[in-house]
């Protein structure tokens, strides 16, 4: 089901937290809401879920206005994981009981979700004794059990150790597909957004600055704030504002060239990286392993395969 926002405004203590005149989140797709901390991302998610009441405007899910307090066909994976001091199985079953799922169907749903996210051996463990990665998987299974047509996920990969994070990031596209629903995921991490999204909504200071399919938003960020959130470095060169991915910067001539001054050089074993400044902006430049490294203070030629020209 799709989500439509019209004239949405949310204030807290007299401060405007969110101001979204219009937004459409397409049905049966994974949309990532990307923005810095405090941008209003979680507030938007809570308004969609009916957990907050807007100051003005409306949110409609599947053509039906969201009314705070009214039960909806929505599953919500919160950033803060909260479990009862019972077994994982009992925690998964609670949501099904509240949805009045028949007893004979509950176990099938639990086992199916547990198998999908790899927590079958944990079903009889106490939920409050799980590791961070295990708890994340259980929270996903809890949402899968509900088989809702709209799934909301607030920073679902936050607070994990690097190994667990990498594994879950690889698995997330498969898990999101398994929901078979409209999925809206909040993050401040551009890598997660690019890896997981079909559509991206970028929010800065409570306002939508970019929205559309992933490729369109990524290749044409439009302004500096959006570009930086998407992982670009913004350069001002010759009166033009350009966005470039630092991993695309190489020493030597190329289609798009810059001059940079070397501040420092780092040997990273498989390649050498030069820390340079281009027009006052610090960047990292990859040096071919078979080339002599530059010296500090040296001005070198740098090229990029692609840049985006920013409008503002």
């Amino acid at each position: 089901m799709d989500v439509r926002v019209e004239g949405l405004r949310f204030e807290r203590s007299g401060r405007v937290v969110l101001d979204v005149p219009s937004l459409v989140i397409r049905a049966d797709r994974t949309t990532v809401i990307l923005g810095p901390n405090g941008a209003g991302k979680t507030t938007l998610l809570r308004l969609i879920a009916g957990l907050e009441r807007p100051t003005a405007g409306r949110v409609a899910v599947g053509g039906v206005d969201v009314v705070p307090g009214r039960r909806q066909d929505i599953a919500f994976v919160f950033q803060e994981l909260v479990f009862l001091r019972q077994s994982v199985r009992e925690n998964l079953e609670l949501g099904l009981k509240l949805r009045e799922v028949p007893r004979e169907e509950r176990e099938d749903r639990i086992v199916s979700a547990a198998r999908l996210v790899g927590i079958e051996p944990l079903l009889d463990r106490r939920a409050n004794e799980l590791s961070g990665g295990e708890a994340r998987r259980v929270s996903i299974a809890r949402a899968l059990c509900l088989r809702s047509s709209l799934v909301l996920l607030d920073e679902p990969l936050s607070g994990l150790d690097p190994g667990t994070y990498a594994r879950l990031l690889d698995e997330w596209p498969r898990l999101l597909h398994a929901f078979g629903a409209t999925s809206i995921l909040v993050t401040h991490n551009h890598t997660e957004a690019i890896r997981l999204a079909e559509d991206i909504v970028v929010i800065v200071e409570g306002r939508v600055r970019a929205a559309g399919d992933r490729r369109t938003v990524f290749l044409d960020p439009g302004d500096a704030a959006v570009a930086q959130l998407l992982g670009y470095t913004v350069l001002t060169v010759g009166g033009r504002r350009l966005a470039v991915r630092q991993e695309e910067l190489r020493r030597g001539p190329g289609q798009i060239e810059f001059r940079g001054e070397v501040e420092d050089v780092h040997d990273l074993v498989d390649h050498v990286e030069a820390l340079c400044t281009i027009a006052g902006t610090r960047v990292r430049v990859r040096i071919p392993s078979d080339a002599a490294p530059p010296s500090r203070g040296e001005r070198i030629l740098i090229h990029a395969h692609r840049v985006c020209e920013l409008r503002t």
Side-chain angles (χ1 to χ4, degrees), residues 107-142:
E107 182 64 15
D108 287 342
R109 289 200 189 189
I110 290 170
V111 171
S112 176
R115 184 179 300 119
L116 185 64
V117 300
I119 61 163
E120 283 183 285
L122 305 178
L123 286 175
D124 294 319
R125 287 260 304 274
R126 291 174 64 90
N128 61 342
E129 296 175 354
L130 300 174
S131 69
E134 291 169 341
R136 285 288 171 199
R137 290 179 184 273
V138 171
S139 70
I140 297 164
R142 185 162 54 185

mmCIF file of all heavy atoms in Angstrom, residues 107-142:
data_model
loop_
_atom_site.group_PDB
_atom_site.id
_atom_site.type_symbol
_atom_site.label_atom_id
_atom_site.label_comp_id
_atom_site.label_asym_id
_atom_site.label_seq_id
_atom_site.Cartn_x
_atom_site.Cartn_y
_atom_site.Cartn_z
ATOM 1 N N GLU A 107 2.187 -20.715 15.663
ATOM 2 C CA GLU A 107 3.450 -21.446 15.649
ATOM 3 C C GLU A 107 4.022 -21.521 14.241
ATOM 4 O O GLU A 107 5.242 -21.395 14.050
ATOM 5 C CB GLU A 107 3.260 -22.853 16.222
ATOM 6 C CG GLU A 107 4.545 -23.679 16.299
ATOM 7 C CD GLU A 107 5.578 -23.084 17.256
ATOM 8 O OE1 GLU A 107 5.221 -22.209 18.064
ATOM 9 O OE2 GLU A 107 6.747 -23.509 17.190
ATOM 10 N N ASP A 108 3.182 -21.713 13.240
ATOM 11 C CA ASP A 108 3.664 -21.750 11.857
ATOM 12 C C ASP A 108 4.321 -20.433 11.476
ATOM 13 O O ASP A 108 5.383 -20.413 10.845
ATOM 14 C CB ASP A 108 2.505 -22.052 10.898
ATOM 15 C CG ASP A 108 2.035 -23.491 10.966
ATOM 16 O OD1 ASP A 108 2.800 -24.323 11.486
ATOM 17 O OD2 ASP A 108 0.910 -23.773 10.507
ATOM 18 N N ARG A 109 3.701 -19.326 11.865
ATOM 19 C CA ARG A 109 4.268 -18.012 11.545
ATOM 20 C C ARG A 109 5.600 -17.814 12.260
ATOM 21 O O ARG A 109 6.566 -17.283 11.689
ATOM 22 C CB ARG A 109 3.301 -16.903 11.934
ATOM 23 C CG ARG A 109 2.067 -16.796 11.059
ATOM 24 C CD ARG A 109 1.484 -15.405 11.232
ATOM 25 N NE ARG A 109 0.177 -15.243 10.616
ATOM 26 C CZ ARG A 109 -0.445 -14.077 10.502
ATOM 27 N NH1 ARG A 109 0.128 -12.980 10.991
ATOM 28 N NH2 ARG A 109 -1.629 -13.984 9.947
ATOM 29 N N ILE A 110 5.660 -18.200 13.528
ATOM 30 C CA ILE A 110 6.875 -18.019 14.320
ATOM 31 C C ILE A 110 8.028 -18.817 13.728
ATOM 32 O O ILE A 110 9.131 -18.307 13.523
ATOM 33 C CB ILE A 110 6.628 -18.414 15.788
ATOM 34 C CG1 ILE A 110 5.712 -17.385 16.453
ATOM 35 C CG2 ILE A 110 7.948 -18.536 16.555
ATOM 36 C CD1 ILE A 110 5.218 -17.802 17.828
ATOM 37 N N VAL A 111 7.778 -20.073 13.441
ATOM 38 C CA VAL A 111 8.828 -20.944 12.904
ATOM 39 C C VAL A 111 9.281 -20.449 11.529
ATOM 40 O O VAL A 111 10.476 -20.429 11.223
ATOM 41 C CB VAL A 111 8.334 -22.404 12.838
ATOM 42 C CG1 VAL A 111 9.341 -23.273 12.081
ATOM 43 C CG2 VAL A 111 8.112 -22.946 14.239
ATOM 44 N N SER A 112 8.337 -20.040 10.705
ATOM 45 C CA SER A 112 8.672 -19.553 9.373
ATOM 46 C C SER A 112 9.556 -18.303 9.443
ATOM 47 O O SER A 112 10.575 -18.203 8.749
ATOM 48 C CB SER A 112 7.390 -19.245 8.599
ATOM 49 O OG SER A 112 7.682 -18.688 7.334
ATOM 50 N N ALA A 113 9.183 -17.338 10.297
ATOM 51 C CA ALA A 113 9.964 -16.108 10.432
ATOM 52 C C ALA A 113 11.332 -16.396 11.038
ATOM 53 O O ALA A 113 12.346 -15.843 10.611
ATOM 54 C CB ALA A 113 9.199 -15.104 11.275
ATOM 55 N N ALA A 114 11.369 -17.276 12.053
ATOM 56 C CA ALA A 114 12.628 -17.609 12.709
ATOM 57 C C ALA A 114 13.596 -18.275 11.741
ATOM 58 O O ALA A 114 14.803 -17.997 11.745
ATOM 59 C CB ALA A 114 12.369 -18.517 13.907
ATOM 60 N N ARG A 115 13.076 -19.136 10.902
ATOM 61 C CA ARG A 115 13.922 -19.809 9.909
ATOM 62 C C ARG A 115 14.482 -18.802 8.913
ATOM 63 O O ARG A 115 15.663 -18.859 8.545
ATOM 64 C CB ARG A 115 13.113 -20.885 9.179
ATOM 65 C CG ARG A 115 13.934 -21.699 8.183
ATOM 66 C CD ARG A 115 13.089 -22.760 7.498
ATOM 67 N NE ARG A 115 12.514 -23.686 8.462
ATOM 68 C CZ ARG A 115 11.194 -23.858 8.639
ATOM 69 N NH1 ARG A 115 10.335 -23.153 7.915
ATOM 70 N NH2 ARG A 115 10.755 -24.720 9.527
ATOM 71 N N LEU A 116 13.662 -17.870 8.509
ATOM 72 C CA LEU A 116 14.070 -16.888 7.501
ATOM 73 C C LEU A 116 15.217 -16.013 7.997
ATOM 74 O O LEU A 116 16.152 -15.705 7.250
ATOM 75 C CB LEU A 116 12.887 -16.012 7.107
ATOM 76 C CG LEU A 116 13.125 -15.020 5.967
ATOM 77 C CD1 LEU A 116 13.431 -15.741 4.666
ATOM 78 C CD2 LEU A 116 11.914 -14.120 5.790
ATOM 79 N N VAL A 117 15.165 -15.591 9.267
ATOM 80 C CA VAL A 117 16.209 -14.694 9.784
ATOM 81 C C VAL A 117 17.276 -15.439 10.586
ATOM 82 O O VAL A 117 18.171 -14.817 11.150
ATOM 83 C CB VAL A 117 15.597 -13.569 10.653
ATOM 84 C CG1 VAL A 117 14.628 -12.749 9.848
ATOM 85 C CG2 VAL A 117 14.918 -14.128 11.889
ATOM 86 N N GLY A 118 17.187 -16.763 10.627
ATOM 87 C CA GLY A 118 18.238 -17.553 11.251
ATOM 88 C C GLY A 118 18.272 -17.531 12.762
ATOM 89 O O GLY A 118 19.350 -17.565 13.372
ATOM 90 N N ILE A 119 17.097 -17.534 13.405
ATOM 91 C CA ILE A 119 17.083 -17.513 14.877
ATOM 92 C C ILE A 119 16.378 -18.739 15.454
ATOM 93 O O ILE A 119 16.021 -18.731 16.646
ATOM 94 C CB ILE A 119 16.418 -16.229 15.428
ATOM 95 C CG1 ILE A 119 14.947 -16.147 14.970
ATOM 96 C CG2 ILE A 119 17.199 -14.986 15.032
ATOM 97 C CD1 ILE A 119 14.121 -15.163 15.779
ATOM 98 N N GLU A 120 16.176 -19.765 14.669
ATOM 99 C CA GLU A 120 15.499 -20.961 15.196
ATOM 100 C C GLU A 120 16.142 -21.484 16.481
ATOM 101 O O GLU A 120 15.429 -21.842 17.433
ATOM 102 C CB GLU A 120 15.462 -22.056 14.135
ATOM 103 C CG GLU A 120 14.412 -21.838 13.060
ATOM 104 C CD GLU A 120 14.371 -23.003 12.084
ATOM 105 O OE1 GLU A 120 15.282 -23.085 11.252
ATOM 106 O OE2 GLU A 120 13.422 -23.811 12.170
ATOM 107 N N PRO A 121 17.492 -21.531 16.583
ATOM 108 C CA PRO A 121 18.091 -22.038 17.828
ATOM 109 C C PRO A 121 17.852 -21.130 19.034
ATOM 110 O O PRO A 121 18.128 -21.539 20.169
ATOM 111 C CB PRO A 121 19.592 -22.092 17.486
ATOM 112 C CG PRO A 121 19.673 -22.106 16.000
ATOM 113 C CD PRO A 121 18.522 -21.275 15.544
ATOM 114 N N LEU A 122 17.353 -19.914 18.801
ATOM 115 C CA LEU A 122 17.180 -18.963 19.897
ATOM 116 C C LEU A 122 15.762 -18.927 20.452
ATOM 117 O O LEU A 122 15.508 -18.214 21.429
ATOM 118 C CB LEU A 122 17.541 -17.539 19.419
ATOM 119 C CG LEU A 122 18.918 -17.328 18.805
ATOM 120 C CD1 LEU A 122 19.066 -15.872 18.358
ATOM 121 C CD2 LEU A 122 20.019 -17.693 19.794
ATOM 122 N N LEU A 123 14.842 -19.654 19.861
ATOM 123 C CA LEU A 123 13.438 -19.503 20.208
ATOM 124 C C LEU A 123 13.146 -19.749 21.686
ATOM 125 O O LEU A 123 12.242 -19.131 22.253
ATOM 126 C CB LEU A 123 12.571 -20.434 19.345
ATOM 127 C CG LEU A 123 12.391 -19.991 17.894
ATOM 128 C CD1 LEU A 123 11.632 -21.045 17.096
ATOM 129 C CD2 LEU A 123 11.656 -18.641 17.830
ATOM 130 N N ASP A 124 13.916 -20.616 22.324
ATOM 131 C CA ASP A 124 13.654 -20.913 23.732
ATOM 132 C C ASP A 124 14.597 -20.165 24.682
ATOM 133 O O ASP A 124 14.546 -20.377 25.896
ATOM 134 C CB ASP A 124 13.753 -22.426 23.973
ATOM 135 C CG ASP A 124 12.646 -23.178 23.228
ATOM 136 O OD1 ASP A 124 11.505 -22.678 23.228
ATOM 137 O OD2 ASP A 124 12.943 -24.228 22.619
ATOM 138 N N ARG A 125 15.423 -19.277 24.126
ATOM 139 C CA ARG A 125 16.293 -18.433 24.954
ATOM 140 C C ARG A 125 15.501 -17.262 25.516
ATOM 141 O O ARG A 125 14.513 -16.808 24.937
ATOM 142 C CB ARG A 125 17.441 -17.885 24.094
ATOM 143 C CG ARG A 125 18.504 -18.895 23.719
ATOM 144 C CD ARG A 125 19.735 -18.789 24.602
ATOM 145 N NE ARG A 125 20.308 -17.449 24.592
ATOM 146 C CZ ARG A 125 21.186 -17.021 23.681
ATOM 147 N NH1 ARG A 125 21.580 -17.819 22.698
ATOM 148 N NH2 ARG A 125 21.670 -15.789 23.778
ATOM 149 N N ARG A 126 15.972 -16.731 26.670
ATOM 150 C CA ARG A 126 15.350 -15.532 27.214
ATOM 151 C C ARG A 126 15.725 -14.344 26.335
ATOM 152 O O ARG A 126 16.896 -14.127 26.019
ATOM 153 C CB ARG A 126 15.814 -15.302 28.647
ATOM 154 C CG ARG A 126 15.275 -16.337 29.632
ATOM 155 C CD ARG A 126 15.887 -16.129 31.009
ATOM 156 N NE ARG A 126 15.503 -14.843 31.592
ATOM 157 C CZ ARG A 126 14.428 -14.672 32.348
ATOM 158 N NH1 ARG A 126 13.620 -15.696 32.595
ATOM 159 N NH2 ARG A 126 14.141 -13.493 32.856
ATOM 160 N N ALA A 127 14.730 -13.584 25.934
ATOM 161 C CA ALA A 127 14.954 -12.519 24.961
ATOM 162 C C ALA A 127 15.866 -11.417 25.495
ATOM 163 O O ALA A 127 16.596 -10.789 24.733
ATOM 164 C CB ALA A 127 13.619 -11.914 24.525
ATOM 165 N N ASN A 128 15.830 -11.178 26.807
ATOM 166 C CA ASN A 128 16.650 -10.094 27.357
ATOM 167 C C ASN A 128 18.093 -10.510 27.598
ATOM 168 O O ASN A 128 18.879 -9.745 28.162
ATOM 169 C CB ASN A 128 16.027 -9.557 28.653
ATOM 170 C CG ASN A 128 15.939 -10.617 29.733
ATOM 171 O OD1 ASN A 128 16.023 -11.799 29.458
ATOM 172 N ND2 ASN A 128 15.769 -10.166 30.971
ATOM 173 N N GLU A 129 18.484 -11.711 27.160
ATOM 174 C CA GLU A 129 19.861 -12.171 27.285
ATOM 175 C C GLU A 129 20.552 -12.280 25.932
ATOM 176 O O GLU A 129 21.656 -12.813 25.828
ATOM 177 C CB GLU A 129 19.894 -13.531 27.994
ATOM 178 C CG GLU A 129 19.379 -13.476 29.431
ATOM 179 C CD GLU A 129 19.312 -14.841 30.075
ATOM 180 O OE1 GLU A 129 19.559 -15.843 29.354
ATOM 181 O OE2 GLU A 129 19.020 -14.919 31.287
ATOM 182 N N LEU A 130 19.926 -11.757 24.884
ATOM 183 C CA LEU A 130 20.477 -11.880 23.542
ATOM 184 C C LEU A 130 21.576 -10.843 23.304
ATOM 185 O O LEU A 130 21.598 -9.777 23.918
ATOM 186 C CB LEU A 130 19.373 -11.669 22.508
ATOM 187 C CG LEU A 130 18.188 -12.631 22.554
ATOM 188 C CD1 LEU A 130 17.115 -12.186 21.562
ATOM 189 C CD2 LEU A 130 18.635 -14.054 22.257
ATOM 190 N N SER A 131 22.476 -11.167 22.379
ATOM 191 C CA SER A 131 23.459 -10.180 21.937
ATOM 192 C C SER A 131 22.763 -9.153 21.049
ATOM 193 O O SER A 131 21.606 -9.327 20.645
ATOM 194 C CB SER A 131 24.576 -10.861 21.146
ATOM 195 O OG SER A 131 24.079 -11.327 19.890
ATOM 196 N N GLY A 132 23.483 -8.080 20.715
ATOM 197 C CA GLY A 132 22.887 -7.039 19.878
ATOM 198 C C GLY A 132 22.437 -7.559 18.524
ATOM 199 O O GLY A 132 21.329 -7.258 18.067
ATOM 200 N N GLY A 133 23.286 -8.340 17.877
ATOM 201 C CA GLY A 133 22.927 -8.886 16.573
ATOM 202 C C GLY A 133 21.758 -9.850 16.653
ATOM 203 O O GLY A 133 20.873 -9.845 15.780
ATOM 204 N N GLU A 134 21.752 -10.697 17.682
ATOM 205 C CA GLU A 134 20.634 -11.631 17.866
ATOM 206 C C GLU A 134 19.332 -10.884 18.104
ATOM 207 O O GLU A 134 18.284 -11.233 17.554
ATOM 208 C CB GLU A 134 20.935 -12.576 19.038
ATOM 209 C CG GLU A 134 22.055 -13.560 18.768
ATOM 210 C CD GLU A 134 22.512 -14.286 20.018
ATOM 211 O OE1 GLU A 134 22.232 -13.796 21.148
ATOM 212 O OE2 GLU A 134 23.161 -15.330 19.894
ATOM 213 N N ALA A 135 19.404 -9.839 18.935
ATOM 214 C CA ALA A 135 18.203 -9.064 19.240
ATOM 215 C C ALA A 135 17.660 -8.382 17.986
ATOM 216 O O ALA A 135 16.438 -8.297 17.793
ATOM 217 C CB ALA A 135 18.512 -8.021 20.316
ATOM 218 N N ARG A 136 18.546 -7.878 17.124
ATOM 219 C CA ARG A 136 18.107 -7.269 15.873
ATOM 220 C C ARG A 136 17.353 -8.281 15.021
ATOM 221 O O ARG A 136 16.312 -7.994 14.438
ATOM 222 C CB ARG A 136 19.301 -6.729 15.087
ATOM 223 C CG ARG A 136 19.883 -5.462 15.644
ATOM 224 C CD ARG A 136 18.993 -4.276 15.404
ATOM 225 N NE ARG A 136 19.481 -3.108 16.135
ATOM 226 C CZ ARG A 136 18.747 -2.051 16.407
ATOM 227 N NH1 ARG A 136 17.492 -2.004 16.040
ATOM 228 N NH2 ARG A 136 19.246 -1.035 17.066
ATOM 229 N N ARG A 137 17.882 -9.486 14.936
ATOM 230 C CA ARG A 137 17.227 -10.520 14.135
ATOM 231 C C ARG A 137 15.855 -10.872 14.717
ATOM 232 O O ARG A 137 14.896 -11.088 13.974
ATOM 233 C CB ARG A 137 18.116 -11.768 14.060
ATOM 234 C CG ARG A 137 19.374 -11.576 13.226
ATOM 235 C CD ARG A 137 20.228 -12.833 13.218
ATOM 236 N NE ARG A 137 21.461 -12.634 12.499
ATOM 237 C CZ ARG A 137 21.610 -12.789 11.193
ATOM 238 N NH1 ARG A 137 20.575 -13.149 10.457
ATOM 239 N NH2 ARG A 137 22.767 -12.579 10.614
ATOM 240 N N VAL A 138 15.783 -10.923 16.034
ATOM 241 C CA VAL A 138 14.494 -11.230 16.667
ATOM 242 C C VAL A 138 13.486 -10.120 16.371
ATOM 243 O O VAL A 138 12.307 -10.388 16.114
ATOM 244 C CB VAL A 138 14.673 -11.437 18.187
ATOM 245 C CG1 VAL A 138 13.316 -11.526 18.874
ATOM 246 C CG2 VAL A 138 15.481 -12.697 18.457
ATOM 247 N N SER A 139 13.924 -8.875 16.410
ATOM 248 C CA SER A 139 12.995 -7.775 16.135
ATOM 249 C C SER A 139 12.481 -7.841 14.695
ATOM 250 O O SER A 139 11.318 -7.524 14.429
ATOM 251 C CB SER A 139 13.672 -6.428 16.389
ATOM 252 O OG SER A 139 14.658 -6.139 15.430
ATOM 253 N N ILE A 140 13.342 -8.278 13.787
ATOM 254 C CA ILE A 140 12.907 -8.443 12.389
ATOM 255 C C ILE A 140 11.897 -9.586 12.299
ATOM 256 O O ILE A 140 10.867 -9.479 11.627
ATOM 257 C CB ILE A 140 14.115 -8.721 11.487
ATOM 258 C CG1 ILE A 140 15.076 -7.529 11.504
ATOM 259 C CG2 ILE A 140 13.668 -9.004 10.050
ATOM 260 C CD1 ILE A 140 16.457 -7.858 10.966
ATOM 261 N N ALA A 141 12.203 -10.690 12.977
ATOM 262 C CA ALA A 141 11.282 -11.830 12.969
ATOM 263 C C ALA A 141 9.927 -11.445 13.552
ATOM 264 O O ALA A 141 8.879 -11.884 13.068
ATOM 265 C CB ALA A 141 11.883 -12.997 13.762
ATOM 266 N N ARG A 142 9.938 -10.608 14.587
ATOM 267 C CA ARG A 142 8.683 -10.169 15.206
ATOM 268 C C ARG A 142 7.830 -9.417 14.189
ATOM 269 O O ARG A 142 6.610 -9.580 14.137
ATOM 270 C CB ARG A 142 9.002 -9.285 16.414
ATOM 271 C CG ARG A 142 7.793 -8.853 17.216
ATOM 272 C CD ARG A 142 8.171 -8.380 18.607
ATOM 273 N NE ARG A 142 9.178 -7.333 18.601
ATOM 274 C CZ ARG A 142 9.732 -6.832 19.703
ATOM 275 N NH1 ARG A 142 9.379 -7.300 20.896
ATOM 276 N NH2 ARG A 142 10.630 -5.880 19.637
#
